């Protein structure tokens, strides 16, 4: 259909939808891929949506999954719109050419938020620039927090991850009608979204559905089941109910979110604590995803683009003044980081030798970042040379203290630096040429599998996107990561539980501050 006041109409397996043309791109918002996950469907795997007759309007974002708001300190930097309604298993499509003949590459985006916050409605995630550049972009809402990742004796594990799998299947079956190529799907995510990408890549049910994958600021991992159970048990104790899905399903949604927020105050990526995470369930996640991907038994033919930011930890520590408090704690903070990372004294000692002028917060932050992100991504790339590309985002925010922090790169990835929500992290005057470079690399990768620099090999090439023009540097993090090559005697095998606290869990947990 040509552009007119009625907008483009596309058929899906459950009914036709009518979108909008915006700046030459066809946009379809709020398309259901699953039935509302409430009532008898609460804490259960997703069910298909009920078919509809006629043409469903897809002009507005659909409801977001239930989630607590950010604390005031974090809301200063991060937006998280809330749209009420039960029909929260929905997705959005941006396409330059709706219709079955285009066969364009597809980017399926999974948002971050520690598996407790975030949504596809965040303005930073607008997919119009990808569609403008020839890539069909799809973004997804999925269940969060206890609704999506609570672990109960009477319900299947990982319902939020099962939502994401249902969305991936919907895209594979339906995206051709929107101009996409189901054989060229790139699955991408940031932070908890990247952790989800890793789990989906390793899932037996997704094999053959994904051509390429992007993991930004998150590595494949499995959380400790007992740790996730403790979150549920603490919520149950606060609510004075049994720790069962049946009991939780009878609780008012707002009351459940309040209990979740209270329990979540005591979690952070820096020092750990109770947190929701993806767990090995013997079905969708039959074993640790990182081990499955490194062994080559899963997604062996999927090309990988993996990245991190130079100062990930600054988003975890700057809001609320935690960075200064960690610096004041000094040796106590370093001891906590050693416990968090299962590291011996030689690790922080090595970081100190490499950074003689750094404060305790920088040492702690870089240790945790390497433990959670850079080391597992390096190891995954080592197991898949020639088909992996790595990069570092190193441009510092124009706001004081943030540096090149966690999530800062997203406005550059989506080329949405002009929206107010991007400026919450970047400040004013973010360089458009850097957006062109990083967004262009993602477009090239989704289109061809080559983002524009050499793939991983023994020289460890890393593309650096910072204040200087983008350039490739051999092994910029090798000196830090070599400190971890000799495991400490108490170190568990990665994936057996040391990654339960997601890199995006806000650090407002400390000091008793409410989220």
């Amino acid at each position: 259909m040509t552009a007119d006041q009625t907008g483009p109409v596309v058929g899906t397996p459950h009914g036709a939808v009518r979108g909008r043309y915006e700046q030459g791109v066809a946009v379809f918002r709020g398309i259901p891929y699953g039935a509302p996950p409430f009532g008898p469907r609460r804490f259960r795997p997703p069910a298909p949506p009920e078919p509809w007759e006629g043409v469903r309007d897809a002009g507005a974002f659909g409801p977001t999954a239930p989630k607590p708001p950010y604390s005031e300190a974090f809301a200063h930097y991060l937006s998280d719109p809330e749209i009420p309604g039960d029909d929260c298993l929905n997705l959005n499509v941006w396409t330059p050419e709706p219709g079955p003949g285009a066969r364009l590459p597809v980017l399926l985006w999974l948002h971050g938020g520690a598996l407790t916050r975030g949504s596809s409605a965040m303005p930073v995630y607008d997919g119009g620039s990808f569609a403008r550049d020839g890539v069909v972009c799809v973004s997804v809402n999925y269940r969060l927090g206890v609704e999506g990742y609570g672990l109960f004796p009477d319900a299947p594990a990982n319902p939020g991850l099962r939502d994401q799998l249902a969305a991936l299947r919907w895209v594979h079956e339906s995206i051709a009608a929107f101009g996409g190529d189901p054989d060229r799907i790139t699955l991408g995510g940031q932070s908890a979204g990247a952790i989800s990408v890793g789990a989906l890549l390793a899932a037996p049910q997704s094999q053959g559905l994904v051509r390429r994958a992007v993991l930004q600021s998150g590595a494949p991992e499995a959380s400790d089941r007992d740790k996730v159970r403790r979150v549920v048990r603490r919520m149950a104790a606060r609510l004075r109910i049994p720790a069962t899905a049946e009991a939780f399903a009878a609780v008012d949604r707002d009351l459940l979110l309040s209990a979740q927020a209270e329990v979540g105050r005591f979690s952070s990526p820096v020092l750990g604590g109770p947190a929701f995470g993806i767990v090995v369930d013997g079905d969708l996640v039959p074993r640790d995803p990182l081990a499955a991907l490194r062994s080559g038994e899963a997604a062996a033919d999927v090309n990988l683009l993996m990245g991190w930011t130079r100062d990930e930890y600054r988003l975890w520590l700057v809001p609320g003044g935690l960075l200064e408090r960690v610096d004041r704690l000094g040796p106590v903070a370093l001891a906590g980081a050693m416990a968090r990372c299962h590291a011996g004294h030689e690790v922080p000692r090595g970081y100190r030798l490499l950074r003689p002028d750094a404060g305790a917060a920088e040492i702690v932050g870089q240790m945790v970042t390497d433990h959670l992100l850079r080391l597992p991504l390096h190891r995954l790339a080592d197991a898949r040379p020639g088909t992996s590309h790595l990069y570092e985002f190193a441009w510092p925010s124009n706001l004081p203290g943030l540096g090149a922090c966690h999530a800062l790169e997203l406005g550059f990835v989506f080329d949405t630096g002009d929206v107010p929500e991007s400026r919450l992290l970047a400040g004013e005057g973010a360089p458009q040429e850097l957006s062109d470079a990083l967004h262009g690399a993602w477009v090239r990768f989704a289109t061809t599998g080559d983002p524009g620099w050499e793939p991983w090999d023994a020289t460890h090439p890393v593309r650096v996107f910072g204040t200087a023009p983008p350039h490739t540097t051999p092994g910029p993090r090798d000196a830090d990561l070599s400190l971890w090559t000799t495991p400490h005697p108490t170190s568990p095998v990665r994936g057996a539980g040391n990654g339960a606290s997601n890199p995006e869990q806000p650090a407002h947990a400390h000091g008793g501050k409410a989220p």
Side-chain angles (χ1 to χ4, degrees):
M1 176 177 291
T2 58
D4 57 27
Q5 292 183 344
T6 63
V9 175
V10 171
T12 80
H14 307 104
V17 291
R18 187 191 311 279
R20 303 287 188 274
Y21 279 107
E22 299 174 4
Q23 297 181 327
V25 168
V27 187
F28 303 81
R29 297 182 174 93
I31 304 173
Y33 69 86
F38 301 104
R41 300 190 187 97
R42 204 169 183 189
F43 302 107
R44 314 308 300 181
E50 289 292 328
W52 59 87
E53 296 183 0
V55 179
R56 180 184 181 118
D57 185 67
F61 287 113
T64 54
K67 55 188 174 178
Y70 280 118
S71 68
E72 183 178 351
F74 277 84
H76 185 70
Y77 297 104
L78 302 171
S79 70
D80 197 9
E82 182 179 353
I83 302 173
D86 288 350
D87 208 0
C88 62
L89 300 188
N90 58 70
L91 52 77
N92 319 293
V93 180
W94 288 261
T95 176
E97 194 175 339
R103 307 288 289 188
L104 297 170
V106 180
L107 172 65
L108 173 54
W109 172 251
L110 302 179
H111 69 79
L115 302 178
T116 59
R117 293 178 174 87
S119 79
S120 65
M122 293 174 64
V124 177
Y125 302 155
D126 187 286
S129 293
F130 279 103
R132 175 201 67 198
D133 294 330
V135 177
V136 176
C137 185
V138 183
S139 61
V140 178
N141 283 340
Y142 54 92
R143 279 174 283 181
L144 302 169
V146 71
E147 302 274 3
Y149 297 92
L151 192 55
F152 300 100
D154 55 338
N158 302 314
L161 187 68
R162 296 174 192 275
D163 294 344
Q164 296 169 357
L165 176 63
L168 173 59
R169 286 173 167 163
W170 185 97
V171 171
H172 195 264
E173 295 168 2
S174 309
I175 203 64
F178 292 84
D181 185 346
D183 295 324
R184 285 201 291 167
I185 296 174
T186 296
L187 185 61
Q190 184 263 354
S191 197
I195 295 171
S196 301
V197 169
L200 288 173
L201 289 178
Q205 295 90 331
S206 72
Q207 301 308 298
L209 301 182
V210 178
R211 179 78 169 273
R212 304 179 181 102
V214 186
L215 294 88
Q216 167 64 43
S217 297
E221 66 175 29
S223 293
D224 187 319
R225 291 176 66 92
D226 288 338
K227 201 166 188 178
V228 178
R229 282 195 189 98
R230 284 199 294 274
V231 183
V232 174
R233 288 170 182 159
R234 292 181 187 186
M235 290 182 63
R238 185 173 292 273
L239 294 166
R240 303 190 180 198
I241 61 173
T244 64
E246 181 182 12
F248 271 62
V251 176
D252 173 78
R253 202 178 303 173
D254 290 337
L255 186 59
L256 206 60
L257 285 177
S258 177
Q260 177 182 304
E262 282 297 311
V263 171
R265 291 194 304 116
F266 303 102
S267 176
S268 89
V270 177
L271 296 178
F276 292 106
I278 295 165
V279 298
V280 172
D281 57 19
D283 171 27
L284 184 59
V285 188
R287 62 176 295 200
D288 170 57
L290 181 61
L293 292 171
R294 288 181 67 190
S295 70
E297 70 180 54
D301 58 344
V302 174
N303 292 350
L304 300 179
L305 176 62
M306 300 180 282
W308 55 75
T309 72
R310 186 190 64 195
D311 308 309
E312 299 270 3
Y313 68 95
R314 286 188 170 268
L315 183 64
W316 311 330
L317 297 184
V318 168
L322 188 57
L323 187 142
E324 290 80 5
R325 287 156 59 194
V326 171
D327 271 337
R328 288 196 301 269
L329 286 170
V332 175
L334 287 171
M338 288 165 57
R340 173 76 178 94
C341 300
H342 309 279
H345 289 280
E346 71 280 358
V347 175
R349 188 179 302 122
Y351 278 82
R352 175 66 69 195
L353 289 173
L354 291 170
R355 297 173 174 80
D357 298 325
E362 182 178 349
I363 300 296
V364 167
Q366 295 294 359
M367 277 182 60
V368 173
T369 299
D370 287 346
H371 172 70
L372 290 177
L373 301 178
R374 297 187 184 115
L375 187 61
L377 292 180
H378 262 240
R379 288 174 173 170
L380 182 53
D382 283 341
R384 304 166 75 105
T387 60
S388 301
H389 292 80
L390 271 66
Y391 70 90
E392 175 171 297
F393 183 83
W395 181 82
S397 170
N398 286 323
L399 298 179
L402 289 180
C405 69
H406 193 69
L408 176 62
E409 81 291 345
L410 292 172
F412 296 85
V413 167
F414 283 87
D415 193 14
T416 51
D418 57 341
V419 303
E421 291 78 5
S422 288
R423 294 196 291 272
L424 290 177
L425 272 181
E428 299 293 336
Q432 179 60 45
E433 60 271 19
L434 185 58
S435 284
D436 295 341
L438 186 56
H439 171 74
W442 279 54
V443 168
R444 286 190 296 273
F445 181 75
T447 304
T448 68
D450 180 1
W453 63 92
E454 56 269 37
W456 192 255
D457 60 18
T459 67
H460 293 182
V462 174
R463 192 72 163 176
V464 178
F465 295 88
T467 53
H471 57 282
T472 305
T473 301
R477 296 289 172 176
D478 284 3
D480 289 343
L481 300 183
S482 68
L483 300 171
W484 302 84
T485 54
T486 303
H488 188 253
T490 60
S491 296
V493 175
R494 177 156 185 97
N498 59 332
S501 184
N502 289 317
E504 200 163 355
Q505 185 70 29
H508 55 241
H510 301 278
K513 292 187 177 181

